[in-house]
Amino acid sequence: MYYVNKIALGIFNPVTFGVAVFIISLLFLLIGLRLLKHNEGDKSKKLFVISIFALAFCFGWFYFWSTGMCQRTMGKICGLYEYGLVEIEGLPQCDAIVELGGGMGGDTNISKYACLTPAASRPWHAARLWKARKAPFVITSGLGTRDTDGQLLIDLGVPDSALIYENASRNTEENACFTQRLIRDKLALTNARVLLVTSASHMKRAMMIFRKCAPNLTCIPVVTDYGSVNWFGPLSLKLFIPSVHDFLGNLVVWKECLGVLGYKLRGF
């Protein structure tokens, strides 16, 4: 299922669709020019009109996916932000903090230190929770997180004795399955209450998966990494100004929307 998900994300994404429309519009334009040379004016005119509309659509498509308004619209349609920010003081004490790794970076061929990306908010917030004594252990879950998230947690003052590494999972389903097993084996708990830490856009899908794949864990959602878009504030001109930053953020939102839809179809 892991590879099926990766292939689906590669095929069904805004960039693939936009590029496909652009290529088709160019093909129609070239065919129209060829027909014009053979004095087939009516057919070439129709192809020119189709190609112009396709190019205009392509422009509008990439413009929309490059704005903060796209993030806000897609996020609300798919309900990605139903889990709001909760102050640490209002959270209960739990058996463990489960921090889902999110591609924080860290090429150990170049440096032994983790690279800070927006995903660094996850271990950073997990460290805050541990320092507030909300749980005695922090579990970092994800392939390679021992060298990235784990290193940052140590740098932020969480001792190695309080860290438990789930260093094999490749996606959120495996996060849930492997973490439940780890808590059973390492902490000797059949049932446990955990603080689940992940990015705001990822939390809805994460909660769906943990309920299904880790039924013995009672997860309390703790969101972080909201990004730069004000999801709940009034409309502003900034939401309609395209940027590379917003475009990259929208690809993450699209991935989460597609994931939520896919898991709902699977009965999660």
Side-chain angles (χ1 to χ4, degrees):
M1 199 63 199
Y2 171 78
Y3 293 106
V4 172
N5 291 340
K6 291 298 181 183
I7 292 170
L9 287 171
I11 296 173
F12 302 106
N13 75 70
V15 176
T16 303
F17 180 77
V19 170
V21 172
F22 180 73
I23 292 173
I24 291 171
S25 65
L26 290 182
L27 287 174
F28 275 44
L29 184 62
L30 291 172
I31 294 171
L33 290 172
R34 188 177 182 86
L35 290 174
L36 188 62
K37 289 181 179 180
H38 291 83
N39 297 319
E40 297 186 46
D42 291 338
K43 290 182 179 179
S44 64
K45 188 182 293 185
K46 290 179 181 178
L47 289 174
F48 285 148
V49 171
I50 292 173
S51 64
I52 289 171
F53 273 105
L55 285 170
F57 173 83
C58 190
F59 175 81
W61 177 261
F62 279 113
Y63 165 76
F64 176 68
W65 284 95
S66 299
T67 63
M69 193 62 202
C70 176
Q71 293 187 43
R72 182 163 167 160
T73 303
M74 294 296 295
K76 285 190 173 182
I77 289 174
C78 297
L80 296 186
Y81 297 93
E82 66 177 76
Y83 297 102
L85 185 66
V86 179
E87 296 290 338
I88 290 178
E89 293 76 15
L91 292 169
Q93 287 191 319
C94 294
D95 298 301
I97 300 158
V98 177
E99 181 265 320
L100 303 184
M104 199 177 74
D107 188 343
T108 53
N109 292 317
I110 300 172
S111 169
K112 66 179 181 179
Y113 302 116
C115 300
L116 296 186
T117 67
S121 296
R122 301 182 188 184
W124 197 343
H125 205 47
R128 291 190 190 104
L129 293 169
W130 183 85
K131 289 180 178 180
R133 299 184 178 181
K134 293 299 178 180
F137 300 101
V138 179
I139 300 172
T140 65
S141 180
L143 184 65
T145 52
R146 176 187 289 271
D147 298 321
T148 55
D149 301 52
Q151 180 62 54
L152 180 56
L153 282 161
I154 291 172
D155 290 345
L156 292 170
V158 181
D160 191 60
S161 59
L163 289 170
I164 300 174
Y165 302 102
E166 186 288 289
N167 205 45
S169 56
R170 300 168 297 174
N171 58 21
T172 311
E173 278 190 61
E174 292 182 352
N175 284 147
C177 296
F178 297 171
T179 298
Q180 178 175 258
R181 186 170 62 199
L182 190 67
I183 287 175
R184 182 194 64 202
D185 296 343
K186 292 282 188 179
L187 302 182
L189 294 173
T190 304
N191 298 287
R193 185 165 67 162
V194 303
L195 296 171
L196 184 63
V197 181
T198 190
S199 300
S201 61
H202 181 231
M203 184 60 79
K204 182 178 179 68
R205 184 163 62 94
M207 288 294 288
M208 290 171 64
I209 293 169
F210 268 76
R211 287 192 191 105
K212 185 79 170 182
C213 299
N216 293 337
L217 301 182
T218 300
C219 296
I220 298 168
V222 184
V223 301
T224 186
D225 180 24
Y226 258 89
S228 60
V229 175
N230 185 349
W231 304 98
F232 312 106
L235 294 178
S236 65
L237 181 61
K238 183 182 178 181
L239 291 171
F240 297 92
I241 299 175
S243 71
V244 174
H245 176 270
D246 284 329
F247 182 75
L248 296 175
N250 285 334
L251 295 182
V252 175
V253 170
W254 169 253
K255 173 189 174 183
E256 295 302 331
C257 289
L258 194 65
V260 167
L261 176 60
Y263 281 110
K264 282 186 176 180
L265 292 174
R266 291 175 57 191
F268 278 64

